[in-house]
Amino acid sequence: MAVLAGSGADTAEKKREKLKEPDECRVILLNDDYTTMEFVVEILMLIFHKNEEEAGRIMMDVHRKGKGVVGMYPWDIARTKANQVHAIARKHEYPLMCIVE
Ligand code: TYC
């Protein structure tokens, strides 16, 4: 039946979609005991373009829970942002860690 043949093609297409790598990945900030809260807020504003309120909220969330999602970005942009966080943090001798999943 034409209707069933059509739905079979849709199913194969959907399966292919599911097997594809996701277009965006999570950038996650990790807590530590040494980086100052002010520095983390500045990083979130500078690298991730958060406003001060949002940056403060994300920073406190990471501080309390140990880690938190900063945002979703295409893989290369996510990696670049994580590298920028590490470069600026190391320059200021903070151990701040940012990972991409
Ligand atoms: N825990 C740090 C402090 O108390 C603050 C902090 C928050 C550090 C978030 C890292 O990703 C971080 N100074």
Side-chain angles (χ1 to χ4, degrees):
M1 195 193 249
V3 176
L4 288 179
S7 68
D10 278 348
T11 304
E13 177 61 30
K14 277 176 192 154
K15 270 186 195 151
R16 209 172 308 127
E17 285 285 316
K18 277 184 191 162
L19 289 173
K20 263 198 278 173
E21 286 291 314
D23 293 336
E24 301 214 300
C25 35
R26 288 185 190 90
V27 174
I28 294 170
L29 207 56
L30 305 184
N31 188 36
D32 67 74
D33 293 337
Y34 304 101
T35 308
T36 64
M37 292 183 170
E38 292 75 16
F39 184 80
V40 177
V41 169
E42 277 183 37
I43 286 282
L44 289 167
M45 294 174 73
L46 184 71
I47 311 288
F48 298 96
H49 309 296
K50 306 293 180 187
N51 64 39
E52 197 169 355
E53 191 186 334
E54 179 73 348
R57 194 191 61 71
I58 295 170
M59 183 280 295
M60 283 310 294
D61 200 49
V62 174
H63 174 71
R64 291 198 185 105
K65 297 180 185 162
K67 63 179 178 177
V69 178
V70 178
M72 302 278 296
Y73 301 91
W75 187 84
D76 53 339
I77 293 175
R79 278 261 41 105
T80 300
K81 287 185 185 293
N83 289 340
Q84 288 172 333
V85 170
H86 292 156
I88 301 172
R90 297 308 168 266
K91 201 166 139 186
H92 290 81
E93 301 189 325
Y94 287 126
L96 184 62
M97 285 286 297
C98 183
I99 60 172
V100 174
E101 305 191 326

